[in-house]
Amino acid sequence: HQFKIIRHEISAGPPMVWLSFSSDTSIDCPVSGYEPKQVGLKDIASVLQNNAYAPAVFKNGYRKSENIQSFGNCIIVDVDDGLGFDEAKQSIRAKDFCAVLMTSRHHRKEKKTAAGAVHPACDRFRIIFPCKEPLAPKHGYTPMLKNVFEYLGISKYADEKSMDPARFFFRSPPDATVF
């Protein structure tokens, strides 16, 4: 499946992206209430600070792989270690891609895993690349993301779990840095 990341085209105006947002704010890890919505990149920071989100559209709004009906038109990269926020900004500028970088809730904080391991503080953020068309069907999503990450030169920095087609992303904190 071909994909085309939008280049930084000021004359075309800010692109719109389709994501699914959970209306369930009562729990930290929502599995229900996901509804697809279109959001302009200029407004995305405030939306991502208030909602858990996913790149897929789910049957009955229930997040699990079997319920994926389609995907939105953006690639989400979850960077957890090794790539600095400023370095990522420079790389995106150099390639002239349109993207939003936004720090995540564990940015520059120690991160504890469910198994009890502690990862040192480092830059942790997401990169959202709008694409010209919706992404590949479910069976081709993970291989497509691997190819994209390699093409962008960020495969060694991307969180492997973020390649799960039913993956959701926690909302960013109110004080998140946005580029």
Side-chain angles (χ1 to χ4, degrees), residues 72-106:
N73 67 326
C74 64
I75 295 165
I76 303 171
V77 182
D78 190 22
V79 179
D80 275 347
D81 192 17
L83 180 64
F85 192 81
D86 290 334
E87 185 182 350
K89 286 190 326 189
Q90 290 172 358
S91 177
I92 289 167
R93 278 186 182 146
K95 293 182 189 242
D96 199 33
F97 286 130
C98 181
V100 172
L101 282 76
M102 190 167 186
T103 55
S104 58
R105 65 188 190 145
H106 291 113

PDB file of all heavy atoms in Angstrom, residues 72-106:
ATOM      1  N   GLY A  72      -7.410   6.044   9.957  1.00  0.00           N
ATOM      2  CA  GLY A  72      -7.406   7.448   9.599  1.00  0.00           C
ATOM      3  C   GLY A  72      -6.274   7.742   8.628  1.00  0.00           C
ATOM      4  O   GLY A  72      -5.644   6.834   8.077  1.00  0.00           O
ATOM      5  N   ASN A  73      -6.001   9.003   8.427  1.00  0.00           N
ATOM      6  CA  ASN A  73      -5.003   9.424   7.443  1.00  0.00           C
ATOM      7  C   ASN A  73      -3.761  10.019   8.105  1.00  0.00           C
ATOM      8  O   ASN A  73      -3.230  11.026   7.655  1.00  0.00           O
ATOM      9  CB  ASN A  73      -5.614  10.440   6.482  1.00  0.00           C
ATOM     10  CG  ASN A  73      -5.960  11.743   7.177  1.00  0.00           C
ATOM     11  OD1 ASN A  73      -6.337  11.756   8.345  1.00  0.00           O
ATOM     12  ND2 ASN A  73      -5.834  12.844   6.463  1.00  0.00           N
ATOM     13  N   CYS A  74      -3.297   9.384   9.179  1.00  0.00           N
ATOM     14  CA  CYS A  74      -2.068   9.881   9.784  1.00  0.00           C
ATOM     15  C   CYS A  74      -1.259   8.727  10.362  1.00  0.00           C
ATOM     16  O   CYS A  74      -1.789   7.675  10.684  1.00  0.00           O
ATOM     17  CB  CYS A  74      -2.346  10.933  10.853  1.00  0.00           C
ATOM     18  SG  CYS A  74      -3.255  10.333  12.257  1.00  0.00           S
ATOM     19  N   ILE A  75       0.031   8.968  10.436  1.00  0.00           N
ATOM     20  CA  ILE A  75       0.969   8.013  11.019  1.00  0.00           C
ATOM     21  C   ILE A  75       1.384   8.589  12.361  1.00  0.00           C
ATOM     22  O   ILE A  75       1.759   9.762  12.456  1.00  0.00           O
ATOM     23  CB  ILE A  75       2.192   7.840  10.109  1.00  0.00           C
ATOM     24  CG1 ILE A  75       1.752   7.203   8.796  1.00  0.00           C
ATOM     25  CG2 ILE A  75       3.273   7.022  10.798  1.00  0.00           C
ATOM     26  CD1 ILE A  75       2.780   7.307   7.700  1.00  0.00           C
ATOM     27  N   ILE A  76       1.286   7.766  13.409  1.00  0.00           N
ATOM     28  CA  ILE A  76       1.667   8.205  14.743  1.00  0.00           C
ATOM     29  C   ILE A  76       2.910   7.437  15.160  1.00  0.00           C
ATOM     30  O   ILE A  76       2.923   6.211  15.153  1.00  0.00           O
ATOM     31  CB  ILE A  76       0.534   7.964  15.757  1.00  0.00           C
ATOM     32  CG1 ILE A  76      -0.747   8.666  15.309  1.00  0.00           C
ATOM     33  CG2 ILE A  76       0.967   8.432  17.153  1.00  0.00           C
ATOM     34  CD1 ILE A  76      -1.968   8.318  16.125  1.00  0.00           C
ATOM     35  N   VAL A  77       3.942   8.160  15.518  1.00  0.00           N
ATOM     36  CA  VAL A  77       5.185   7.564  15.994  1.00  0.00           C
ATOM     37  C   VAL A  77       5.306   7.890  17.474  1.00  0.00           C
ATOM     38  O   VAL A  77       5.238   9.063  17.864  1.00  0.00           O
ATOM     39  CB  VAL A  77       6.416   8.128  15.240  1.00  0.00           C
ATOM     40  CG1 VAL A  77       7.690   7.453  15.721  1.00  0.00           C
ATOM     41  CG2 VAL A  77       6.249   7.977  13.744  1.00  0.00           C
ATOM     42  N   ASP A  78       5.467   6.866  18.289  1.00  0.00           N
ATOM     43  CA  ASP A  78       5.660   7.041  19.723  1.00  0.00           C
ATOM     44  C   ASP A  78       7.144   6.867  20.010  1.00  0.00           C
ATOM     45  O   ASP A  78       7.685   5.772  19.848  1.00  0.00           O
ATOM     46  CB  ASP A  78       4.826   5.994  20.471  1.00  0.00           C
ATOM     47  CG  ASP A  78       4.766   6.240  21.965  1.00  0.00           C
ATOM     48  OD1 ASP A  78       4.979   7.386  22.395  1.00  0.00           O
ATOM     49  OD2 ASP A  78       4.491   5.275  22.704  1.00  0.00           O
ATOM     50  N   VAL A  79       7.818   7.943  20.381  1.00  0.00           N
ATOM     51  CA  VAL A  79       9.255   7.919  20.634  1.00  0.00           C
ATOM     52  C   VAL A  79       9.483   7.885  22.140  1.00  0.00           C
ATOM     53  O   VAL A  79       9.041   8.785  22.857  1.00  0.00           O
ATOM     54  CB  VAL A  79       9.954   9.150  20.013  1.00  0.00           C
ATOM     55  CG1 VAL A  79      11.442   9.124  20.309  1.00  0.00           C
ATOM     56  CG2 VAL A  79       9.696   9.217  18.517  1.00  0.00           C
ATOM     57  N   ASP A  80      10.148   6.820  22.602  1.00  0.00           N
ATOM     58  CA  ASP A  80      10.348   6.636  24.037  1.00  0.00           C
ATOM     59  C   ASP A  80      11.797   6.703  24.488  1.00  0.00           C
ATOM     60  O   ASP A  80      12.057   6.708  25.676  1.00  0.00           O
ATOM     61  CB  ASP A  80       9.786   5.278  24.485  1.00  0.00           C
ATOM     62  CG  ASP A  80       8.300   5.348  24.789  1.00  0.00           C
ATOM     63  OD1 ASP A  80       7.763   6.454  24.886  1.00  0.00           O
ATOM     64  OD2 ASP A  80       7.683   4.284  24.932  1.00  0.00           O
ATOM     65  N   ASP A  81      12.744   6.716  23.573  1.00  0.00           N
ATOM     66  CA  ASP A  81      14.129   6.691  24.027  1.00  0.00           C
ATOM     67  C   ASP A  81      15.085   6.937  22.868  1.00  0.00           C
ATOM     68  O   ASP A  81      14.895   6.407  21.781  1.00  0.00           O
ATOM     69  CB  ASP A  81      14.441   5.325  24.649  1.00  0.00           C
ATOM     70  CG  ASP A  81      15.754   5.303  25.409  1.00  0.00           C
ATOM     71  OD1 ASP A  81      16.276   6.376  25.742  1.00  0.00           O
ATOM     72  OD2 ASP A  81      16.252   4.196  25.667  1.00  0.00           O
ATOM     73  N   GLY A  82      16.089   7.755  23.118  1.00  0.00           N
ATOM     74  CA  GLY A  82      17.195   7.887  22.187  1.00  0.00           C
ATOM     75  C   GLY A  82      17.140   9.035  21.214  1.00  0.00           C
ATOM     76  O   GLY A  82      18.175   9.509  20.771  1.00  0.00           O
ATOM     77  N   LEU A  83      15.957   9.495  20.859  1.00  0.00           N
ATOM     78  CA  LEU A  83      15.841  10.597  19.909  1.00  0.00           C
ATOM     79  C   LEU A  83      15.376  11.826  20.666  1.00  0.00           C
ATOM     80  O   LEU A  83      14.336  11.805  21.332  1.00  0.00           O
ATOM     81  CB  LEU A  83      14.835  10.260  18.804  1.00  0.00           C
ATOM     82  CG  LEU A  83      14.605  11.322  17.731  1.00  0.00           C
ATOM     83  CD1 LEU A  83      15.873  11.562  16.921  1.00  0.00           C
ATOM     84  CD2 LEU A  83      13.471  10.900  16.810  1.00  0.00           C
ATOM     85  N   GLY A  84      16.141  12.892  20.594  1.00  0.00           N
ATOM     86  CA  GLY A  84      15.767  14.123  21.273  1.00  0.00           C
ATOM     87  C   GLY A  84      14.672  14.867  20.533  1.00  0.00           C
ATOM     88  O   GLY A  84      14.548  14.780  19.314  1.00  0.00           O
ATOM     89  N   PHE A  85      13.870  15.592  21.280  1.00  0.00           N
ATOM     90  CA  PHE A  85      12.776  16.368  20.708  1.00  0.00           C
ATOM     91  C   PHE A  85      13.304  17.369  19.676  1.00  0.00           C
ATOM     92  O   PHE A  85      12.778  17.468  18.569  1.00  0.00           O
ATOM     93  CB  PHE A  85      12.024  17.094  21.840  1.00  0.00           C
ATOM     94  CG  PHE A  85      10.723  17.703  21.437  1.00  0.00           C
ATOM     95  CD1 PHE A  85       9.578  16.932  21.335  1.00  0.00           C
ATOM     96  CD2 PHE A  85      10.621  19.061  21.174  1.00  0.00           C
ATOM     97  CE1 PHE A  85       8.358  17.499  20.972  1.00  0.00           C
ATOM     98  CE2 PHE A  85       9.420  19.639  20.814  1.00  0.00           C
ATOM     99  CZ  PHE A  85       8.278  18.856  20.711  1.00  0.00           C
ATOM    100  N   ASP A  86      14.379  18.074  20.025  1.00  0.00           N
ATOM    101  CA  ASP A  86      14.950  19.065  19.094  1.00  0.00           C
ATOM    102  C   ASP A  86      15.539  18.400  17.856  1.00  0.00           C
ATOM    103  O   ASP A  86      15.431  18.923  16.745  1.00  0.00           O
ATOM    104  CB  ASP A  86      16.004  19.919  19.799  1.00  0.00           C
ATOM    105  CG  ASP A  86      15.378  20.854  20.823  1.00  0.00           C
ATOM    106  OD1 ASP A  86      14.200  21.208  20.670  1.00  0.00           O
ATOM    107  OD2 ASP A  86      16.088  21.224  21.790  1.00  0.00           O
ATOM    108  N   GLU A  87      16.152  17.240  18.045  1.00  0.00           N
ATOM    109  CA  GLU A  87      16.713  16.486  16.919  1.00  0.00           C
ATOM    110  C   GLU A  87      15.598  16.058  15.958  1.00  0.00           C
ATOM    111  O   GLU A  87      15.743  16.146  14.736  1.00  0.00           O
ATOM    112  CB  GLU A  87      17.459  15.266  17.459  1.00  0.00           C
ATOM    113  CG  GLU A  87      18.193  14.460  16.432  1.00  0.00           C
ATOM    114  CD  GLU A  87      18.877  13.234  17.053  1.00  0.00           C
ATOM    115  OE1 GLU A  87      18.940  13.110  18.286  1.00  0.00           O
ATOM    116  OE2 GLU A  87      19.331  12.402  16.259  1.00  0.00           O
ATOM    117  N   ALA A  88      14.476  15.616  16.516  1.00  0.00           N
ATOM    118  CA  ALA A  88      13.333  15.217  15.683  1.00  0.00           C
ATOM    119  C   ALA A  88      12.789  16.412  14.906  1.00  0.00           C
ATOM    120  O   ALA A  88      12.474  16.301  13.719  1.00  0.00           O
ATOM    121  CB  ALA A  88      12.244  14.597  16.549  1.00  0.00           C
ATOM    122  N   LYS A  89      12.693  17.571  15.555  1.00  0.00           N
ATOM    123  CA  LYS A  89      12.224  18.788  14.870  1.00  0.00           C
ATOM    124  C   LYS A  89      13.127  19.121  13.690  1.00  0.00           C
ATOM    125  O   LYS A  89      12.646  19.414  12.594  1.00  0.00           O
ATOM    126  CB  LYS A  89      12.206  19.980  15.837  1.00  0.00           C
ATOM    127  CG  LYS A  89      11.101  19.963  16.825  1.00  0.00           C
ATOM    128  CD  LYS A  89      10.923  21.237  17.634  1.00  0.00           C
ATOM    129  CE  LYS A  89      12.128  21.999  17.984  1.00  0.00           C
ATOM    130  NZ  LYS A  89      11.899  23.099  18.951  1.00  0.00           N
ATOM    131  N   GLN A  90      14.443  19.051  13.904  1.00  0.00           N
ATOM    132  CA  GLN A  90      15.391  19.369  12.831  1.00  0.00           C
ATOM    133  C   GLN A  90      15.261  18.389  11.670  1.00  0.00           C
ATOM    134  O   GLN A  90      15.314  18.783  10.505  1.00  0.00           O
ATOM    135  CB  GLN A  90      16.817  19.361  13.385  1.00  0.00           C
ATOM    136  CG  GLN A  90      17.101  20.507  14.316  1.00  0.00           C
ATOM    137  CD  GLN A  90      18.456  20.372  15.005  1.00  0.00           C
ATOM    138  OE1 GLN A  90      19.175  19.401  14.817  1.00  0.00           O
ATOM    139  NE2 GLN A  90      18.795  21.365  15.818  1.00  0.00           N
ATOM    140  N   SER A  91      15.082  17.122  11.988  1.00  0.00           N
ATOM    141  CA  SER A  91      14.945  16.102  10.945  1.00  0.00           C
ATOM    142  C   SER A  91      13.693  16.341  10.106  1.00  0.00           C
ATOM    143  O   SER A  91      13.725  16.235   8.878  1.00  0.00           O
ATOM    144  CB  SER A  91      14.909  14.718  11.586  1.00  0.00           C
ATOM    145  OG  SER A  91      14.712  13.735  10.617  1.00  0.00           O
ATOM    146  N   ILE A  92      12.604  16.654  10.755  1.00  0.00           N
ATOM    147  CA  ILE A  92      11.341  16.901  10.041  1.00  0.00           C
ATOM    148  C   ILE A  92      11.450  18.158   9.181  1.00  0.00           C
ATOM    149  O   ILE A  92      11.000  18.175   8.038  1.00  0.00           O
ATOM    150  CB  ILE A  92      10.173  16.977  11.041  1.00  0.00           C
ATOM    151  CG1 ILE A  92       9.908  15.568  11.593  1.00  0.00           C
ATOM    152  CG2 ILE A  92       8.928  17.558  10.397  1.00  0.00           C
ATOM    153  CD1 ILE A  92       9.025  15.534  12.793  1.00  0.00           C
ATOM    154  N   ARG A  93      12.090  19.186   9.714  1.00  0.00           N
ATOM    155  CA  ARG A  93      12.304  20.406   8.921  1.00  0.00           C
ATOM    156  C   ARG A  93      13.170  20.125   7.704  1.00  0.00           C
ATOM    157  O   ARG A  93      12.886  20.599   6.606  1.00  0.00           O
ATOM    158  CB  ARG A  93      12.973  21.475   9.780  1.00  0.00           C
ATOM    159  CG  ARG A  93      12.034  22.237  10.651  1.00  0.00           C
ATOM    160  CD  ARG A  93      12.771  23.368  11.339  1.00  0.00           C
ATOM    161  NE  ARG A  93      11.887  24.090  12.226  1.00  0.00           N
ATOM    162  CZ  ARG A  93      12.264  24.624  13.367  1.00  0.00           C
ATOM    163  NH1 ARG A  93      13.516  24.524  13.772  1.00  0.00           N
ATOM    164  NH2 ARG A  93      11.406  25.267  14.109  1.00  0.00           N
ATOM    165  N   ALA A  94      14.227  19.335   7.910  1.00  0.00           N
ATOM    166  CA  ALA A  94      15.154  19.031   6.813  1.00  0.00           C
ATOM    167  C   ALA A  94      14.456  18.268   5.690  1.00  0.00           C
ATOM    168  O   ALA A  94      14.777  18.452   4.519  1.00  0.00           O
ATOM    169  CB  ALA A  94      16.347  18.244   7.335  1.00  0.00           C
ATOM    170  N   LYS A  95      13.512  17.406   6.048  1.00  0.00           N
ATOM    171  CA  LYS A  95      12.791  16.626   5.034  1.00  0.00           C
ATOM    172  C   LYS A  95      11.561  17.361   4.529  1.00  0.00           C
ATOM    173  O   LYS A  95      10.863  16.872   3.657  1.00  0.00           O
ATOM    174  CB  LYS A  95      12.404  15.261   5.603  1.00  0.00           C
ATOM    175  CG  LYS A  95      13.612  14.393   5.886  1.00  0.00           C
ATOM    176  CD  LYS A  95      13.205  13.032   6.409  1.00  0.00           C
ATOM    177  CE  LYS A  95      14.430  12.317   6.880  1.00  0.00           C
ATOM    178  NZ  LYS A  95      14.795  11.145   6.275  1.00  0.00           N
ATOM    179  N   ASP A  96      11.277  18.525   5.119  1.00  0.00           N
ATOM    180  CA  ASP A  96      10.156  19.369   4.724  1.00  0.00           C
ATOM    181  C   ASP A  96       8.810  18.665   4.876  1.00  0.00           C
ATOM    182  O   ASP A  96       7.900  18.855   4.081  1.00  0.00           O
ATOM    183  CB  ASP A  96      10.345  19.884   3.294  1.00  0.00           C
ATOM    184  CG  ASP A  96       9.477  21.107   3.022  1.00  0.00           C
ATOM    185  OD1 ASP A  96       9.249  21.899   3.948  1.00  0.00           O
ATOM    186  OD2 ASP A  96       9.014  21.251   1.875  1.00  0.00           O
ATOM    187  N   PHE A  97       8.685  17.840   5.923  1.00  0.00           N
ATOM    188  CA  PHE A  97       7.414  17.167   6.185  1.00  0.00           C
ATOM    189  C   PHE A  97       6.528  18.035   7.057  1.00  0.00           C
ATOM    190  O   PHE A  97       6.994  18.788   7.899  1.00  0.00           O
ATOM    191  CB  PHE A  97       7.627  15.834   6.910  1.00  0.00           C
ATOM    192  CG  PHE A  97       8.174  14.749   6.054  1.00  0.00           C
ATOM    193  CD1 PHE A  97       9.267  14.017   6.475  1.00  0.00           C
ATOM    194  CD2 PHE A  97       7.605  14.439   4.836  1.00  0.00           C
ATOM    195  CE1 PHE A  97       9.785  13.004   5.693  1.00  0.00           C
ATOM    196  CE2 PHE A  97       8.112  13.428   4.047  1.00  0.00           C
ATOM    197  CZ  PHE A  97       9.208  12.713   4.471  1.00  0.00           C
ATOM    198  N   CYS A  98       5.261  17.891   6.869  1.00  0.00           N
ATOM    199  CA  CYS A  98       4.275  18.492   7.747  1.00  0.00           C
ATOM    200  C   CYS A  98       4.076  17.494   8.897  1.00  0.00           C
ATOM    201  O   CYS A  98       3.865  16.304   8.654  1.00  0.00           O
ATOM    202  CB  CYS A  98       2.972  18.698   6.978  1.00  0.00           C
ATOM    203  SG  CYS A  98       1.689  19.457   7.942  1.00  0.00           S
ATOM    204  N   ALA A  99       4.177  17.939  10.135  1.00  0.00           N
ATOM    205  CA  ALA A  99       4.020  17.043  11.277  1.00  0.00           C
ATOM    206  C   ALA A  99       3.753  17.861  12.534  1.00  0.00           C
ATOM    207  O   ALA A  99       4.028  19.062  12.587  1.00  0.00           O
ATOM    208  CB  ALA A  99       5.272  16.206  11.475  1.00  0.00           C
ATOM    209  N   VAL A 100       3.215  17.180  13.525  1.00  0.00           N
ATOM    210  CA  VAL A 100       3.056  17.742  14.854  1.00  0.00           C
ATOM    211  C   VAL A 100       3.869  16.884  15.797  1.00  0.00           C
ATOM    212  O   VAL A 100       3.763  15.654  15.780  1.00  0.00           O
ATOM    213  CB  VAL A 100       1.576  17.747  15.297  1.00  0.00           C
ATOM    214  CG1 VAL A 100       1.452  18.149  16.761  1.00  0.00           C
ATOM    215  CG2 VAL A 100       0.754  18.666  14.422  1.00  0.00           C
ATOM    216  N   LEU A 101       4.704  17.509  16.601  1.00  0.00           N
ATOM    217  CA  LEU A 101       5.439  16.823  17.656  1.00  0.00           C
ATOM    218  C   LEU A 101       4.840  17.298  18.970  1.00  0.00           C
ATOM    219  O   LEU A 101       4.630  18.508  19.154  1.00  0.00           O
ATOM    220  CB  LEU A 101       6.922  17.185  17.648  1.00  0.00           C
ATOM    221  CG  LEU A 101       7.792  16.509  16.596  1.00  0.00           C
ATOM    222  CD1 LEU A 101       7.595  17.112  15.239  1.00  0.00           C
ATOM    223  CD2 LEU A 101       9.228  16.597  17.016  1.00  0.00           C
ATOM    224  N   MET A 102       4.576  16.353  19.859  1.00  0.00           N
ATOM    225  CA  MET A 102       3.965  16.710  21.132  1.00  0.00           C
ATOM    226  C   MET A 102       4.489  15.790  22.215  1.00  0.00           C
ATOM    227  O   MET A 102       4.474  14.568  22.058  1.00  0.00           O
ATOM    228  CB  MET A 102       2.452  16.587  21.010  1.00  0.00           C
ATOM    229  CG  MET A 102       1.703  17.140  22.170  1.00  0.00           C
ATOM    230  SD  MET A 102      -0.034  17.271  21.701  1.00  0.00           S
ATOM    231  CE  MET A 102      -0.653  18.082  23.138  1.00  0.00           C
ATOM    232  N   THR A 103       4.979  16.393  23.299  1.00  0.00           N
ATOM    233  CA  THR A 103       5.528  15.578  24.380  1.00  0.00           C
ATOM    234  C   THR A 103       4.410  14.776  25.048  1.00  0.00           C
ATOM    235  O   THR A 103       3.252  15.187  25.076  1.00  0.00           O
ATOM    236  CB  THR A 103       6.262  16.444  25.415  1.00  0.00           C
ATOM    237  OG1 THR A 103       5.386  17.457  25.900  1.00  0.00           O
ATOM    238  CG2 THR A 103       7.502  17.085  24.809  1.00  0.00           C
ATOM    239  N   SER A 104       4.794  13.608  25.569  1.00  0.00           N
ATOM    240  CA  SER A 104       3.832  12.724  26.214  1.00  0.00           C
ATOM    241  C   SER A 104       3.953  12.831  27.732  1.00  0.00           C
ATOM    242  O   SER A 104       4.794  13.557  28.257  1.00  0.00           O
ATOM    243  CB  SER A 104       4.033  11.285  25.737  1.00  0.00           C
ATOM    244  OG  SER A 104       5.342  10.854  26.000  1.00  0.00           O
ATOM    245  N   ARG A 105       3.138  12.108  28.442  1.00  0.00           N
ATOM    246  CA  ARG A 105       3.037  12.266  29.895  1.00  0.00           C
ATOM    247  C   ARG A 105       4.290  11.861  30.661  1.00  0.00           C
ATOM    248  O   ARG A 105       4.464  12.267  31.794  1.00  0.00           O
ATOM    249  CB  ARG A 105       1.804  11.536  30.420  1.00  0.00           C
ATOM    250  CG  ARG A 105       1.861  10.046  30.243  1.00  0.00           C
ATOM    251  CD  ARG A 105       0.534   9.420  30.599  1.00  0.00           C
ATOM    252  NE  ARG A 105       0.675   7.975  30.650  1.00  0.00           N
ATOM    253  CZ  ARG A 105       0.037   7.200  31.476  1.00  0.00           C
ATOM    254  NH1 ARG A 105      -0.802   7.717  32.333  1.00  0.00           N
ATOM    255  NH2 ARG A 105       0.231   5.914  31.441  1.00  0.00           N
ATOM    256  N   HIS A 106       5.164  11.051  30.065  1.00  0.00           N
ATOM    257  CA  HIS A 106       6.409  10.657  30.732  1.00  0.00           C
ATOM    258  C   HIS A 106       7.637  11.383  30.185  1.00  0.00           C
ATOM    259  O   HIS A 106       8.756  10.951  30.399  1.00  0.00           O
ATOM    260  CB  HIS A 106       6.608   9.140  30.626  1.00  0.00           C
ATOM    261  CG  HIS A 106       5.620   8.370  31.441  1.00  0.00           C
ATOM    262  ND1 HIS A 106       4.654   7.576  30.866  1.00  0.00           N
ATOM    263  CD2 HIS A 106       5.433   8.300  32.773  1.00  0.00           C
ATOM    264  CE1 HIS A 106       3.921   7.046  31.822  1.00  0.00           C
ATOM    265  NE2 HIS A 106       4.368   7.471  32.986  1.00  0.00           N
TER     266      HIS A 106
END
